[in-house]
């Protein structure tokens, strides 16, 4: 089983990392509370006009800091 994450808002499914409404700290805490020990992947389609590698790097660093 794998959990896909990306940042989003009520009006946009994919936004730049940190611009969305998802509380990743809370998400990680909830996964830990239920004993989730499976894969955690990042699914981020490129956003036009944004550096996709930089966005992926920001998301990786964010999740690394929470794990």
């Amino acid at each position: 089983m794998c959990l896909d994450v990306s940042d989003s808002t009520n009006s946009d499914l994919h936004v730049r990392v940190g611009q969305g409404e998802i509380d990743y700290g809370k998400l990680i805490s909830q996964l830990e509370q239920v004993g989730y020990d499976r894969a955690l992947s990042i699914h981020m389609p490129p956003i036009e006009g944004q550096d996709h590698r930089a966005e992926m790097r920001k998301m990786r660093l964010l999740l690394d800091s929470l794990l």
Side-chain angles (χ1 to χ4, degrees):
M1 182 175 181
C2 183
L3 177 66
D4 287 328
V5 299
S6 67
D7 220 345
S8 63
T9 65
N10 286 335
S11 59
D12 292 310
L13 183 57
H14 303 288
V15 297
R16 293 182 65 193
V17 175
Q19 302 297 312
E21 299 173 3
I22 296 174
D23 182 347
Y24 290 101
K26 183 176 180 180
L27 174 65
I28 298 298
S29 293
Q30 289 174 334
L31 291 173
E32 289 173 344
Q33 287 175 359
V34 297
Y36 186 84
D37 63 355
R38 304 288 186 196
L40 181 63
S41 68
I42 299 169
H43 174 75
M44 292 180 56
I47 300 172
E48 190 173 328
Q50 300 299 320
D51 181 356
H52 188 65
R53 287 183 182 196
E55 291 297 302
M56 289 293 291
R57 189 170 24 261
K58 284 193 291 186
M59 181 62 83
R60 180 182 54 85
L61 291 171
L62 170 64
L63 292 177
D64 279 347
S65 73
L66 297 170
L67 295 176

